[in-house]
Every structure is written in C-alpha cells, then in structure tokens.
Amino acid sequence: MARKDPVRGAEGAVMFLVRISPAIEHVDSSSGSISNAVNRAIDALVPLIADAPADLPTRRRWLGALFEAHGAESIPYIEPLGDHWGTLCASPTLAAEWADALALTIETAWRRYPQEHVYFHGTNVGLSAMLAAGQYDRLLGLLDKCPYRLWHDHQWGVKALAALGRTEEALQYAEALREQSAPRDEVARACEAILLSCGRADEAYARYAIEANYAGTYLPTFRALCKRYPHKAPELVLQDLIDRSPGDEGKWFAAAKDAGLYALASELARRSPVDHRTLIRAAKDFSECQPSFAADCALLALHWISAGRAFEVSTGEILAAFDHLLEAGGRAQCLDRALGQLQQMLDVLPAEHMVHRLLHAKLERPTPG
C-alpha cells in the first residue's frame, strides 16, 4: 500500500504496531523468535511511517497512538520503537514537542533514584526526540543527571557529542561506557559509525571494524567487513580475521573460498579442522573449474575424518570424497601425488578403521583411466 498511497500505508503500519503486542502477549516466546520477528517488523515499518508525507495533525495522532501502545504493553515487544522516535517525528518541530513533553518526567524518575526505582517507558522516546530536535546541549545536560551509566540511555550522549562535531569526546564517552560493561559490539558500532562519518575509515577499521561487524558466524562476518570497507583488499581483511582467532584457522575456510583465495583456503583447512561435509561439497563444486583445489579438499576431508575430527560420518561420504579425489586429481594431473598421500594416511590407521576398510582395497586396484 505504501507504494500506491504512502500515507495510507503508514496508517496501516501504525495500526499493526499498535495491535501487535496485545495480539501475541499470550504466545510462548521463550525461544526469542517472536521478539526477533517483531524487531524485523519495526525495522521495516518505521521508514514507511517516517517517509509518508503526512500533515502535522496526522503525524501527531500516529505518534500518540504508538506512545500509548508503547506504554500499555505487558511484554515489551515494541519497546525498540523508542530508539526510532526521532525518526518517526520526521521534523524537528514535532521532535521538540515530544522532547518538551517528556524531559521533566525523565528527570523526575532519575532524581528519585536510589530511594525509588522508577521505570519510565518514555525515556528513550524523549532522548531520541531531543537528538532529532537538535537539542544536543539540553540532552547532554539531562544525561548528566542520570544516576546510572547504562548504554541504553547514554548512547544518546555519544550521538549528541558526535552531532556537535566533538568527535574525540564522543569516542571517549563511548569507550568509558564500554569499560563499565556496556555491550561491546554496540559501542563498537557506534564508534565505527562516528569515525566513518568523519572520513576516518582506516582508523575505524583498525579500532572497531571486526567487533562492530561480527555477524554471528565466520563467512557472514567476512562479507560484512568487505562490504563496509570496499577499499580494503579481501585477502587483507581475511588475514586480519585469521590473526584474531588463533587455533580456529579452519573456520575461515569458507570465507577464503568465497573470495577466490583457493591456496589460502587449502592452507587454512590443513592448519585446523574443517567440517568434512563442507570440504566434500567444495571438492564436488570445484572439480571442473579449480581441480587442484578440489583434490585438496577431498584429501583434507579424508584427513580430518581419519583424524577423528569429524562427526556422524557415513560410508557414502567417505566414498564420495574418494571419488571426487579421483576425478579432480585426474583433471589437475596430480592424482599420483594425491593417492600417495592418501596411502600414507591409510598406513597409520588401524585395519578396522572405516576409512582404511573402505579405501585400502581401492588403492590396491589399478585406478580406471
């Protein structure tokens, strides 16, 4: 709807966000999947609301409905809306109205601490609105009255200092929060963004990039860094990641393969274990275009299986690795060397070992072709 009628689409987005928490509050969300889904919905819908060309009364009505729903929910599913409030205001005028309306309540709640532990759901709403309204000094003054040093609140101070052009102070402010148990990845992302906005990309990369762009697993982390820092050669980025994880070099095998660094990928797979299924799949996929690399992958899969570093290995997987070794080794004209290495591997295995039992007889027969 937002493509055809942006205002009506935004109206629907507001209705959805108002209704979502009451609709799912009795659904089991112990896995966290529901919260993640709501967070994705918020990320998708906030721009629709913010970009809609609504008049001021309409936007006031939308924000009023969202604020009421934000405060009324029993499980804080739409709590992250507070971080987007300045964006939702879509104008400094409306943001200033919300800042004026909430500043006194925020200050009062903080002043009562520690005698009273008062939670005000509109704290981030008001702080975000102050930032969007350009009330940077007022925001910093209010944060000076905050009785605790939590990133949830003081991230707005970092942003205010950066907006004032006080870059070094913003970085020091954030670093001090990190030392007080603030989420290290969130602090790193904030500091990285500040340096990138100032054109200090090399410094951002050296100080914060790896921590800020960690994506849960190895290959997505490598891709995220390459995307964020396109001026950095992929092999240098990958080497930096490898250097940060000694003993886990094999975990970066897929990243090296993805970057076309086949010699490095093989070297990494020799230095520490790589899942045998990953290696067998690589041997199959690259048998024609990179046969030497494919032969290495097949041999390394058999190596880690033989070394007892593979889990739930099947007979079919061992035979598939051997077949890929024959095929790729023949194409790369390295089959004799590869089979010699495989024979050395089998010589140290007990006769009852599955790899030895399946492949010993095959190596004694003449290889077809």
Side-chain angles (χ1 to χ4, degrees):
M1 180 56 65
R3 295 190 186 100
K4 300 177 183 178
D5 186 341
V7 174
R8 192 173 184 187
E11 186 85 40
V14 171
M15 289 172 62
F16 175 86
L17 292 171
V18 166
R19 296 181 182 186
I20 187 62
S21 192
I24 61 175
E25 63 183 5
H26 299 298
V27 180
D28 177 26
S29 62
S30 55
S31 69
S33 60
I34 293 180
S35 293
N36 290 336
V38 174
N39 288 341
R40 289 195 296 272
I42 289 172
D43 290 341
L45 296 178
V46 163
L48 297 186
I49 300 170
D51 294 341
D55 56 35
L56 209 54
T58 299
R59 194 167 293 279
R60 284 195 183 102
R61 176 171 57 80
W62 289 348
L63 292 178
L66 290 172
F67 188 73
E68 183 178 351
H70 187 267
E73 59 179 357
S74 56
I75 300 176
Y77 282 119
I78 63 169
E79 185 180 37
L81 272 180
D83 293 340
H84 300 282
W85 209 260
T87 302
L88 290 169
C89 288
S91 74
T93 300
L94 194 50
E97 290 180 13
W98 278 95
D100 293 342
L102 298 176
L104 181 59
T105 307
I106 297 170
E107 183 179 348
T108 301
W110 285 345
R111 192 169 54 243
R112 291 180 182 176
Y113 184 88
Q115 288 75 25
E116 294 181 57
H117 293 264
V118 179
Y119 170 73
F120 176 44
H121 77 95
T123 298
N124 260 26
V125 172
L127 299 177
S128 176
M130 282 186 199
L131 184 74
Q135 300 176 1
Y136 307 128
D137 291 324
R138 182 186 187 188
L139 174 54
L140 291 167
L142 182 59
L143 286 171
D144 285 341
K145 300 174 183 177
C146 183
Y148 27 76
R149 301 282 290 176
L150 298 177
W151 178 252
H152 183 261
D153 300 313
H154 288 276
Q155 61 172 314
W156 303 105
V158 176
K159 294 175 181 179
L161 287 168
L164 287 167
R166 294 154 63 179
T167 302
E168 296 306 321
E169 288 183 65
L171 295 175
Q172 292 170 11
Y173 194 112
E175 290 285 1
L177 291 168
R178 176 155 62 173
E179 293 171 3
Q180 297 171 359
S181 302
R184 297 185 65 84
D185 56 337
E186 292 187 31
V187 174
R189 280 193 288 272
C191 293
E192 179 194 45
I194 291 170
L195 289 173
L196 288 175
S197 68
C198 298
R200 295 159 63 177
D202 288 336
E203 185 179 352
Y205 177 84
R207 294 178 62 179
Y208 301 110
I210 293 177
E211 197 168 38
N213 292 278
Y214 178 69
T217 55
Y218 293 83
L219 178 56
T221 298
F222 170 69
R223 287 175 174 169
L225 277 168
C226 289
K227 183 177 180 180
R228 184 63 60 89
Y229 297 93
H231 67 290
K232 291 283 184 182
E235 54 268 31
L236 296 180
V237 172
L238 184 55
Q239 191 58 57
D240 287 337
L241 290 167
I242 294 166
D243 292 343
R244 290 280 292 265
S245 52
D248 283 335
E249 292 86 356
K251 302 293 186 182
W252 298 106
F253 168 83
K257 173 175 67 67
D258 190 66
L261 305 172
Y262 303 115
L264 177 59
S266 295
E267 175 60 26
L268 294 172
R270 290 188 186 93
R271 289 166 64 181
S272 73
V274 177
D275 182 77
H276 67 286
R277 297 176 187 86
T278 300
L279 290 166
I280 292 170
R281 186 165 56 250
K284 177 183 177 182
D285 293 344
F286 289 87
S287 181
E288 292 187 11
C289 59
Q290 291 289 335
S292 180
F293 171 64
D296 276 349
C297 291
L299 192 61
L300 286 163
L302 294 170
H303 165 74
W304 291 116
I305 293 171
S306 301
R309 303 300 296 270
F311 299 97
E312 299 181 353
V313 182
S314 69
T315 298
E317 288 169 339
I318 294 173
L319 294 176
F322 181 73
D323 289 342
H324 294 320
L325 177 63
L326 295 181
E327 182 180 356
R331 283 200 177 100
Q333 299 182 350
C334 64
L335 185 56
D336 289 342
R337 175 182 58 81
L339 292 179
Q341 291 176 301
L342 179 58
Q343 184 63 64
Q344 292 176 5
M345 192 187 307
L346 298 183
D347 288 343
V348 299
L349 292 176
E352 65 274 11
H353 194 286
M354 184 164 59
V355 174
H356 188 285
R357 184 162 36 85
L358 290 172
L359 301 185
H360 180 68
K362 288 181 175 291
L363 288 180
E364 290 184 338
R365 302 189 203 122
T367 303

